[in-house]
Amino acid sequence: GNSVTQMEGPVTLSEEAFLTINCTYTATGYPSLFWYVQYPGEGLQLLLKATKADDKGSNKGFEATYRKETTSFHLEKGSVQVSDSAVYFCALRGRAAGNKLTFGGGTRVLVKP
Amino acid sequence: KAGVTQTPRYLIKTRGQQVTLSCSPISGHRSVSWYQQTPGQGLQFLFEYFSETQRNKGNFPGRFSGRQFSNSRSEMNVSTLELGDSALYLCASSQAGTVDEKLFFGSGTQLSVL
């Protein structure tokens, strides 16, 4: 079945540091890949997505590239802010799995001033 | 446009009781999915409804059930509650439930089973 593995946190950074969160997946067929963010006490918000190989999703300074050869979708941001402190989830949605989202375990990011 | 609304926000029940959670999707959205979030198991898919029909189901026991009404509002029910059912239950909606569509999540219902 489908699965997503992402690096465990917490990741603690200083403001303006570079952020990378690794995400790899196992899936049948050609899934769509997503990064969601969850702020304290809130639901999930879509951060970015990529629907086919070599697509790059980007939003709010975050980027991730769909790498089919390495089955990866790593999230990066060049200069983090305190407001980026949250839990980040990598997820996939595959046609073979009936369109449900399969999530990674989440990575907590804490950005200190 | 109002977002996905889940009620109640918090709920406390005791073992053996049953509970019903409600989700109102964004206007015009016909697909509603439910997820369970726990510290140990993370985010797990419960089920998806589209136009009042269950279209997909996760690996949860039959105590977990749901339904969708003609106005796309959805409810999920958990019978004979167990301590392990304590979780944040998230609802998400989209227009047609296609694989590339953006899902919009509600803030969730935090269920505590004592």
Side-chain angles (χ1 to χ4, degrees):
Chain A
N2 296 341
S3 67
V4 177
T5 303
Q6 61 183 104
M7 59 189 289
E8 290 190 24
V11 174
T12 303
L13 302 164
S14 297
E15 211 165 18
E16 298 184 4
F18 184 85
L19 170 67
T20 299
I21 304 176
N22 291 336
C23 170
T24 56
Y25 68 90
T26 302
T28 53
Y30 299 93
S32 292
L33 302 175
F34 305 84
W35 276 100
Y36 281 85
V37 58
Q38 187 175 34
Y39 298 101
E42 298 183 15
L44 300 171
Q45 298 176 28
L46 178 66
L47 185 58
L48 53 85
K49 70 174 185 179
T51 59
K52 60 183 187 298
D54 300 325
D55 265 3
K56 177 186 280 189
S58 61
N59 186 27
K60 298 181 182 179
F62 290 90
E63 291 184 340
T65 301
Y66 190 142
R67 301 288 188 199
K68 188 164 175 57
E69 63 277 11
T70 55
T71 62
S72 64
F73 193 54
H74 305 321
L75 183 68
E76 297 181 336
K77 185 175 185 182
S79 177
V80 294
Q81 305 300 315
V82 172
S83 57
D84 293 324
S85 298
V87 181
Y88 294 81
F89 293 91
C90 184
L92 69 81
R93 201 170 177 192
R95 291 156 181 83
N99 293 339
K100 73 180 187 184
L101 275 171
T102 299
F103 287 92
T107 302
R108 183 175 300 276
V109 173
L110 177 61
V111 180
K112 296 185 175 180
Chain B
K1 218 175 194 181
V4 178
T5 303
Q6 291 188 246
T7 57
R9 185 72 179 90
Y10 300 95
L11 207 48
I12 300 175
K13 293 287 187 179
T14 57
R15 278 181 300 174
Q17 287 186 311
Q18 74 163 15
V19 67
T20 299
L21 312 182
S22 179
C23 172
S24 293
I26 291 172
S27 177
H29 285 192
R30 296 165 64 191
S31 170
V32 174
S33 303
W34 289 88
Y35 291 83
Q36 182 196 63
Q37 185 176 21
T38 60
Q41 299 298 317
L43 280 154
Q44 294 186 290
F45 173 79
L46 279 156
F47 27 66
E48 179 199 2
Y49 286 88
F50 181 80
S51 293
E52 302 180 65
T53 301
Q54 187 180 89
R55 191 158 69 171
N56 203 357
K57 190 176 189 304
N59 297 323
F60 280 82
R63 300 185 297 107
F64 292 80
S65 63
R67 59 178 176 169
Q68 187 180 33
F69 302 95
S70 58
N71 62 357
S72 292
R73 190 177 71 85
S74 177
E75 290 181 346
M76 67 163 281
N77 183 277
V78 187
S79 62
T80 319
L81 283 166
E82 300 177 359
L83 294 179
D85 297 333
S86 294
L88 179 66
Y89 290 88
L90 293 168
C91 166
S93 76
S94 67
Q95 284 189 320
T98 57
V99 68
D100 296 339
E101 261 189 332
K102 178 178 178 177
L103 284 187
F104 293 82
F105 282 82
S107 297
T109 293
Q110 183 68 54
L111 172 65
S112 297
V113 182
L114 306 178

